[in-house]
Amino acid sequence: MAGLDWTYGVSTLRQWESADYEPSLPVSEKSNPLTRDIDRASAYSIVKMLQVCDSQMFQKEAGTIYQRLLSDQVVKTLMEVAKRVEVIIKDPQESCVVMSGCGTSGRLAFLISSGFNKALSQLNQSEVYSYIIAGGDRALLSSQEAPEDDPRLGVLNLKKVCEGKKRVLFIGISCGLSAPFVAGQLDFCLQHPEVYTPVLVGFNPAHQARDEPIQDCTFTFHSVVQRMQELAKSQKAFLINPAVGPEAISGSSRMKGGSATKILLEAAFSAAHAATSSNTPITHNGVLQHMMAYERTLAVTYSQTDGITTLVEAAGQSLQCSRHVYYLGWGSLALLGLIDASECSPTFGADYEDVRGFIRGGYRELNNNDGPLTSLGPKFSIAHEDFLHLILPCLTDKDTVLLIYTHSDDATEVGNMARRVREKTPNLHAVYHQADGDTAASLQQDDIKKLCLSTLKITWPQEALVSGTLQHMRELSTKLVLNAVSTGAHVLKGKIYQNHMIDLQVTNTKLYRRATRLLQLSACPEEKCEEALLKAIYRVDMLTLEMTSSDITTHTCFARNSTKVVPLALVILLTGWSLVEAESHLKQQPIVREAVAQWMW
Ligand code: S6P
C-alpha cells in the first residue's frame, strides 16, 4: 500500500455518492471505493482505511442528494423523538420505549436500553426502555440470521413486550431498511396508531428501502416506509435515515451502521434525560453538540493508530495460526467485546471459538431479558470465571488476550486477571480508558501496564466527564477499536476478497441476494450464479426440480448446515469443475482471497 494517500481527494471520499456508482445497490450494500484493496493492505493501512471510512459518517450534506448524520432534518427529527421520550419518562406507568432489530441492530437496542435504564434507576426513576432482538436473547451472543426474515415473529415479540401499555414509542432499527422482522413490527404500529408511534432508524434513503415481496405479507419494507413518510408530515411517525457511506467491508453494517445507530439514539435519549432530570430544554444545538462529541471520539480513538495496529497484528497472527482472540472486559465496555465477538461468525464465517468475549460478573452484569443462557452451550459461557476455568488452562502464547477496562474499574481485579493470563502467555494487551489528569489511577495502571505487551491508553478530556457523555464516548471508542481488531485480523487471515466477504453464511434473504451478487464477480450471468449457489448449498452437481422450485426460505434453511457455500460456488463457476473437485481444491487453498485470485486472474 506504499504511496496510499490518507488524505484522499474529495472525489474518492465521495465517489460512492455519484449516481452512476453501483446504481442498483442501496448505500448500505455498495462497496466502498476507499477499501477496494483492503485485502492486500498491511495492518497499519487497514486501520487507516477504517479511520477514513468511519470519518465518512460525519461528512457534510452540502452538494449531495443524501441526508447526513448532522443534517438539520436529522437533528430536528431527533429532537421530536427526544420530546416523546421525555413525556414517557415523566409518565412511565403505562408507556414505554421499545427498540428492536436483527443481528447487530438488536444487540445495539439491548446495549442502549441497558445503559439508559441504568441511568434512570440511578435517579430512582422507573425504567422505560425495552429491547427486542430477532431470535431472542441467544442472538445477543450468537448468530441467528434466519428470524430476520420473519415479520410475524417480529409482531409477536412486540405485542409481548408492550402488553398492557397505552403509549409506545417503537424504534425499529434496520440499517439497510430491509429486515422483514422490523417491517412487520412497523406495519403493526401503523395499524394501531392509538398506542404506537413508529420510528425507523436506518442508513439508506427512503427510496432505497427493500422492495422485495415478503412471504405471506401484503407489504414490503419499501411500502411501509412510504406509509411512514406520509405520517411523518404530521409527526405521527418518524424516519431517521441519514446516509453514512458504504461499509469498509461491503454490507457489514455492524460497523458504521452500528456506530451511527448508537450515536443517533444516544443523542436523542440523552437530550430527553437532561430535560427530565435537570430541566435542560431539548434544543437543536444541544442534540447537535452531543453528536459532535462522537466526531471527537473518532479523532481521539484514531489518534492511537499505532496502538490499534499492534492489536490488529497480534489478533491477525493468532487467527492465521488457527489460535484465538479473547476480550476480557469490565462493565459496559465488556458488552462491546461480547457483541464484536458474536459478529465474527456471521460476518467472517468464523468459529465461535476464534474470537470470544467475556464480561466481569457474567449474566448478572449483562442483565438480559431471559437471564443466564449458559445451558444453551459452551459459547454462552461469558463470565471471567468461565474464561479462567475453560480457556486459561489451554492458553498458549499464540493466543491474543485483550483486557478492556476504565479507570473506574477495580484495578486490583484487573491486575489479578492480568497476572493469571501472564503466567500462560506474554501475548497480553490492554485497552484502557482514563480521564485526563487521573493520576491516582495511573499508579496501579503502571503495574498492569508492565504485564502487558502493549497498552492502548485512551485519555478523555475532563469536559466529557462534566457533560455526562464520557460513558458513550468510551463505548463508541471501544466499538471502533474492537471492530478494527476483528475485521483487521480476519482480513489478514485472508477472509476478504477486495472488500467483499466471500465466505458469508447464506442464512437469510438479504445474505442470499448478496451471495448471488458476489458470484457475479465471476462475470457469469445471474441465473448461472444462482444455479451454482444452489449446487453449493445442496452439495449436488445436478439440481433436482424440487430444489430449483423451492423458495429462498427453504434454500436458506438448508444452507444453515452447509459451509464454504459461496467460495465453492465461485470455484464451480470459474473452473467448471464438479462439486467434489471444487471442494478438494478449496481444501488445498482455504484462503479465500488467494483461492479467488488464483482462478480469476
Ligand atoms: C451485519 C450483521 C447482521 C445485521 C443484520 C441486520 O454486519 O452481521 O447481523 O446486523 O442482518 O441488518 P439490518 O440492516 O436490518 O440492520
Side-chain angles (χ1 to χ4, degrees):
M1 295 305 291
L4 181 64
D5 177 11
W6 299 121
T7 55
Y8 291 107
V10 175
S11 58
T12 319
L13 258 179
R14 311 196 76 145
Q15 198 183 340
W16 65 270
E17 294 174 36
S18 123
D20 53 7
Y21 185 79
E22 301 182 349
S24 62
L25 298 181
V27 179
S28 61
E29 288 286 321
K30 286 186 200 289
S31 65
N32 199 319
L34 299 170
T35 54
R36 202 164 280 145
D37 293 321
I38 198 167
D39 60 337
R40 301 199 174 268
S42 64
Y44 178 81
S45 300
I46 292 172
V47 177
K48 284 311 237 181
M49 284 184 191
L50 296 180
Q51 173 177 10
V52 185
C53 264
D54 279 331
S55 73
Q56 284 179 321
M57 284 196 286
F58 291 97
Q59 249 170 33
K60 302 283 174 290
E61 183 178 326
T64 101
I65 54 160
Y66 293 110
Q67 239 182 46
R68 310 309 303 263
L69 210 56
L70 302 179
S71 294
D72 256 14
Q73 187 51 50
V74 172
V75 177
K76 274 188 193 139
T77 313
L78 288 177
M79 284 170 63
E80 287 310 317
V81 170
K83 286 177 194 161
R84 308 295 166 114
V85 176
E86 181 190 356
V87 172
I88 291 176
I89 296 175
K90 284 183 173 156
D91 177 19
Q93 249 32 326
E94 291 174 321
S95 12
C96 65
V97 179
V98 180
M99 283 169 274
S100 173
C102 312
T104 303
S105 298
R107 293 179 195 121
L108 280 157
F110 166 69
L111 175 80
I112 297 167
S113 71
S114 305
F116 281 92
N117 275 339
K118 238 180 227 160
L120 288 174
S121 299
Q122 279 160 6
L123 296 170
N124 283 326
Q125 287 182 289
S126 309
E127 299 187 349
V128 299
Y129 300 95
S130 309
Y131 69 92
I132 298 173
I133 179 163
D137 271 5
R138 61 168 64 217
L140 292 173
L141 303 167
S142 68
S143 159
Q144 307 289 326
E145 304 296 319
E148 180 168 329
D149 278 343
D150 194 339
R152 248 154 310 164
L153 184 64
V155 175
L156 279 177
N157 288 184
L158 179 58
K159 281 186 184 163
K160 194 166 160 219
V161 171
C162 300
E163 233 170 66
K165 299 289 178 195
K166 296 225 164 82
R167 179 174 23 210
V168 177
L169 185 70
F170 172 76
I171 303 179
I173 311 164
S174 179
C175 297
L177 304 192
S178 64
F181 183 89
V182 174
Q185 296 173 322
L186 290 169
D187 172 72
F188 178 79
C189 294
L190 291 169
Q191 288 180 46
H192 298 89
E194 66 292 351
V195 175
Y196 296 90
T197 305
V199 181
L200 169 60
V201 174
F203 304 100
N204 285 322
H207 70 273
Q208 291 181 356
R210 186 158 151 199
D211 207 13
E212 186 171 341
I214 303 173
Q215 213 175 18
D216 302 326
C217 290
T218 51
F219 55 84
T220 65
F221 208 111
H222 187 258
S223 71
V224 169
V225 170
Q226 281 181 324
R227 280 152 68 202
M228 285 186 69
Q229 277 181 305
E230 216 25 63
L231 288 175
K233 291 177 191 158
S234 51
Q235 301 198 328
K236 292 195 175 104
F238 299 95
L239 275 116
I240 309 172
N241 59 326
V244 291
E247 297 289 354
I249 304 300
S250 312
S252 185
S253 56
R254 75 187 193 111
M255 302 182 79
K256 282 197 275 191
S259 301
T261 300
K262 184 167 160 53
I263 293 170
L264 290 168
L265 293 180
E266 288 177 353
F269 298 165
S270 298
H273 281 230
T276 45
S277 62
S278 55
N279 273 329
T280 315
I282 296 169
T283 62
H284 194 280
N285 193 42
V287 173
L288 189 64
Q289 288 306 321
H290 194 99
M291 296 225 276
M292 284 166 65
Y294 292 98
E295 193 177 6
R296 290 195 292 281
T297 302
L298 259 62
V300 169
T301 307
Y302 282 114
S303 69
Q304 305 274 355
T305 303
D306 290 342
I308 303 175
T309 302
T310 304
L311 300 179
V312 170
E313 271 164 356
Q317 275 163 19
S318 292
L319 294 190
Q320 277 167 35
C321 60
S322 303
R323 293 301 306 180
H324 310 121
V325 179
Y326 299 108
Y327 302 146
L328 300 180
W330 277 257
S332 70
L333 302 190
L335 280 182
L336 290 148
L338 290 172
I339 292 176
D340 185 85
S342 71
E343 291 163 344
C344 290
S345 145
T347 312
F348 306 109
D351 192 87
Y352 84 90
E353 286 180 298
D354 292 352
V355 181
R356 285 191 69 171
F358 295 90
I359 181 167
R360 183 208 177 266
Y363 286 97
R364 195 172 12 92
E365 179 70 30
L366 199 67
N367 197 20
N368 53 313
N369 285 343
D370 299 347
L373 305 172
T374 336
S375 62
L376 296 177
K379 71 171 97 163
F380 295 94
S381 296
I382 55 164
H384 282 184
E385 289 73 22
D386 296 321
F387 172 82
L388 293 172
H389 294 142
L390 304 169
I391 310 287
L392 191 73
C394 322
L395 206 64
T396 77
D397 54 7
K398 300 256 183 315
D399 297 307
T400 300
V401 182
L402 209 59
L403 304 170
I404 306 161
Y405 64 106
T406 76
H407 68 278
S408 24
D409 292 312
D410 183 343
T412 313
E413 214 179 271
V414 180
N416 287 341
M417 180 61 94
R419 269 181 284 280
R420 301 279 305 265
V421 172
R422 197 61 178 75
E423 282 163 16
K424 301 291 280 190
T425 175
N427 201 0
L428 171 68
H429 306 259
V431 177
Y432 168 63
H433 295 264
Q434 69 165 21
D436 205 5
D438 200 346
T439 45
S442 334
L443 290 173
Q444 280 174 309
Q445 174 53 23
D446 281 349
D447 291 339
I448 301 170
K449 196 175 165 190
K450 282 185 202 136
L451 295 165
C452 295
L453 212 53
S454 82
T455 297
L456 184 64
K457 190 163 83 180
I458 304 184
T459 307
W460 298 98
Q462 284 292 336
E463 72 183 59
L465 267 175
V466 178
S467 66
T469 52
L470 182 63
Q471 178 74 353
H472 300 152
M473 308 298 114
R474 289 194 301 218
E475 287 176 2
L476 180 65
S477 174
T478 304
K479 177 178 184 298
L480 298 175
V481 171
L482 299 186
N483 284 173
V485 169
S486 57
T487 302
H490 282 98
V491 170
L492 294 174
K493 192 181 177 185
K495 284 287 195 169
I496 301 297
Y497 173 68
Q498 292 175 348
N499 50 8
H500 300 288
M501 174 56 205
I502 301 273
D503 193 6
L504 71 162
Q505 293 181 334
V506 192
T507 39
N508 64 35
T509 317
K510 174 174 83 174
L511 298 170
Y512 184 89
R513 294 275 180 236
R514 194 183 291 164
T516 317
R517 220 169 39 237
L518 281 172
L519 289 173
Q520 288 167 44
L521 283 170
S522 66
C524 294
E526 192 176 338
E527 316 84 80
K528 275 219 109 212
C529 294
E530 197 159 353
E531 188 186 307
L533 182 64
L534 292 181
K535 284 181 183 173
I537 290 177
Y538 291 106
R539 291 299 209 258
V540 292
D541 278 316
M542 290 292 291
L543 293 167
T544 63
L545 184 64
E546 194 191 340
M547 290 167 186
T548 49
S549 55
S550 295
D551 57 17
I552 296 185
T553 314
T554 314
H555 302 326
T556 53
C557 271
F558 204 91
R560 248 180 263 170
N561 303 316
S562 324
T563 54
K564 296 256 171 231
V565 169
V566 185
L568 206 53
L570 197 56
V571 173
I572 292 173
L573 284 168
L574 291 169
T575 60
W577 287 336
S578 71
L579 191 94
V580 177
E581 285 169 328
E583 263 183 322
S584 101
H585 277 83
L586 255 189
K587 245 185 216 134
Q588 284 163 32
Q589 181 49 280
I591 298 180
V592 175
R593 177 175 83 191
E594 299 303 336
V596 175
Q598 187 174 324
W599 287 302
M600 279 176 79
W601 289 283

